Amino acid sequence: MTLRLTPYLMMDGNAKEAIEFYEKALEAKVLFQQTFGEMPENPEFPLPEAARNRIGHAMIKIGESELMFSDTFPGQPVQIGNQVTICISTNDPAKSRQLYEALQEGGSVVMPLQEAFFSPAYGIVTDKFGVSFQIYTEGKHNM
């Protein structure tokens, strides 16, 4: 079983600019980058035109470390405290469920743990200390 913690930055429409900045400033290498428009569309929730070119998910490598990014949807506020989350990655869905259940105790669920097009089990919780965690299970497309 693998277990890894990665900082995840939520940006307000400027993730692409931030990635380019870190490429120059920190010699980062882009490992993955996808806009919301490049992701599979959910017919029940059509994608707003203003969101199409925003980054849906990206990962860069800086030295031996990785940093993940996403833009918010237009109009979704980025507030101090929710701009940086921690992505916990594992390849074991049972471990993901255990982490999800433990972290939500005394905290709150932002997104229930569920299957997504990119993960067999993905969810977001804010723990009782106000720290937001994305629980990501590897197994479909790597995030």
Side-chain angles (χ1 to χ4, degrees):
M1 182 196 72
T2 63
L3 186 63
R4 180 174 53 254
L5 302 180
T6 307
Y8 201 115
L9 305 181
M10 296 299 296
M11 309 298 286
D12 190 17
N14 58 351
K16 198 173 286 187
E17 179 184 346
I19 290 165
E20 290 169 0
F21 174 78
Y22 295 132
E23 280 182 287
K24 291 177 187 148
L26 302 175
E27 300 177 354
K29 304 286 183 241
V30 176
L31 301 178
F32 181 83
Q33 184 171 294
Q34 184 177 50
T35 65
F36 285 114
E38 294 169 330
M39 293 178 165
E41 194 160 346
N42 181 344
E44 295 177 33
F45 300 101
L47 187 65
E49 191 58 41
R52 290 197 176 279
N53 292 322
R54 287 186 173 215
I55 298 294
H57 180 71
M59 183 187 305
I60 63 174
K61 188 168 184 84
I62 302 166
E64 297 301 310
S65 300
E66 295 172 346
L67 187 58
M68 295 180 180
F69 293 84
S70 180
D71 279 316
T72 59
F73 262 48
Q76 183 183 18
V78 173
Q79 301 165 5
I80 300 301
N82 75 355
Q83 184 180 15
V84 179
T85 63
I86 297 170
C87 183
I88 302 178
S89 302
T90 181
N91 60 354
D92 180 357
K95 184 65 173 178
S96 291
R97 170 68 57 193
Q98 176 193 349
L99 294 166
Y100 175 84
E101 297 293 339
L103 287 168
Q104 73 173 321
E105 216 170 286
S108 62
V109 171
V110 177
M111 176 187 285
L113 191 69
Q114 60 192 303
E115 185 172 350
F117 78 90
F118 54 86
S119 173
Y122 175 79
I124 305 171
V125 296
T126 301
D127 73 9
K128 63 183 175 182
F129 303 104
V131 178
S132 293
F133 290 90
Q134 297 182 49
I135 312 299
Y136 168 66
T137 311
E138 299 167 357
K140 288 191 175 182
H141 303 288
N142 283 338
M143 249 174 86

